[in-house]
Amino acid sequence: MKKFLLLSVLVLSASAALAQTKDQLEGLWEGYDGEWLHVSSQLVSLAEAIPADKYGWRPAPGVRSVSEVFMHIAIANYWLLSVTGPKMPADLTDGMEKSVTAKADVIGWLKRSLDAVKTARAQLKPGDLQRKVKIEGKEVTVDGMYLRIIIHDNEHMGQLVAYARMNGIAPPWSQ
């Protein structure tokens, strides 16, 4: 009986570890949509894991705080997306990177921006990715803009992981 219980515990533990590993890998190597799912999930899970009292933390004076980095991501998602056609949200106003600091509000804006990118990309028709748009005096493709969005989000993901670890918080996917 003891052997059966021990074997059951080992099997359940291995299954849980495999499921966690699978979740950690969800979306990887699956093209843009898979990678977008991956970075979106990580950003939201990290935003949720950081305690509300750490949202004002910054590593040094003059450097973005936790809430400011998340809001920067959300605002940039909308701005970069707007270059491809969708309008900026009417309730997104100047100064929100610094004025929106409450955890729930920040996460709300982050989720909305991630969903906006996902939805806009899903609505593209064949050939839309090669359409030319202008940004900062350059002519680029819509595909290039979506690539910039995902790269930008991943760049700041690294920054936020460092912020979290400096505060003793392990990213949820690394536990």
Side-chain angles (χ1 to χ4, degrees), residues 44-109:
V44 170
S45 69
L46 187 57
E48 291 172 344
I50 297 173
D53 67 341
K54 295 294 184 190
Y55 267 57
W57 182 88
R58 63 182 79 241
V63 178
R64 285 185 177 117
S65 69
V66 170
S67 68
E68 289 169 350
V69 175
F70 280 119
M71 285 304 295
H72 170 76
I73 292 168
I75 293 164
N77 284 346
Y78 282 122
W79 181 71
L80 292 168
L81 186 61
S82 76
V83 172
T84 71
K87 302 284 184 226
M88 296 280 283
D91 58 340
L92 183 64
T93 58
D94 286 343
M96 288 182 72
E97 182 174 310
K98 294 194 182 304
S99 66
V100 177
T101 59
K103 180 177 177 174
D105 296 337
V106 171
I107 291 173
W109 276 102

Side-chain angles (χ1 to χ4, degrees), residues 157-170:
M157 169 69 73
Q159 178 184 11
L160 288 162
V161 166
Y163 278 26
R165 291 200 181 275
M166 290 169 77
N167 282 281
I169 303 159

Side-chain angles (χ1 to χ4, degrees), residues 121 123-133 141-143:
R121 184 163 166 95
Q123 293 173 352
L124 294 176
K125 294 175 180 45
D128 283 349
L129 289 173
Q130 296 313 309
R131 183 172 47 88
K132 299 289 185 175
V133 296
T141 63
V142 168
D143 187 42

